Each structure stands twice: as structure tokens, then as C-alpha cells.
Amino acid sequence: QLGQSYQDYHCPPHEKHMECPVDKNMEITAVTHAKWYGAPAPLFCRPKSDKNDFTGSWDYGYMCNDAWADPPRTCDVYEGQKA
């Protein structure tokens, strides 16, 4: 998201009491997401493992259901994925 590092954000002094420390073991995956053709998988979030860590991006134009490709490609990122 525009190169931002959300784990490096801090609350302003008057809201510091609401800030939580980064849990280096925490991971979370959203339970809902869009269902349209080519929709991305549910949002996944975790702390960075190093300064070069990058979760990637979703290519909504990528065709994953191509049995004729070598090797064949299948849509297996999430249940019900079509592209």
C-alpha cells in the first residue's frame, strides 16, 4: 500500500495508551472477501520478517485456470476462485 509499513506506525502522544506492541508471531487472514471474477484472496497480514519482506500483489488479470499451460495452472489460492 504505497510502500507504507503499518507496523512502524505509532500513536500520537495523547493516544499512546491505546498502542499495542508488535507481536512478531501474529498472523491474520480475513474471513470474507469479494467473489467477483478475478477477485483477490482474503487480506493476509503479518509482521515483516526483515527489511526486504514483501507480501506481493494480486494480478486480477492473471488466468490461473489454464490446463494447457506447461505446467498446468489451477486456481487454488482460495475456495471458489475462478481466475
Side-chain angles (χ1 to χ4, degrees):
Q1 301 235 336
L2 304 175
Q4 299 177 66
S5 174
Y6 295 104
Q7 80 178 35
D8 294 330
Y9 280 177
H10 295 284
C11 293
H14 68 281
E15 295 178 346
K16 207 68 161 166
H17 65 281
M18 295 186 277
E19 186 171 305
C20 300
V22 173
D23 180 347
K24 299 280 186 187
N25 299 310
M26 187 173 87
E27 294 184 0
I28 189 166
T29 301
V31 294
T32 62
H33 61 99
K35 302 292 185 190
W36 43 266
Y37 190 85
L43 175 71
F44 172 77
C45 191
R46 63 174 165 71
K48 294 190 299 186
S49 60
D50 63 44
K51 68 178 185 162
N52 297 314
D53 193 12
F54 178 64
T55 58
S57 59
W58 188 262
D59 180 357
Y60 62 86
Y62 177 75
M63 298 302 295
C64 60
N65 54 349
D66 187 355
W68 297 104
D70 186 20
R73 294 190 300 256
T74 59
C75 300
D76 59 2
V77 175
Y78 61 87
E79 186 177 338
Q81 182 184 2
K82 296 177 180 70

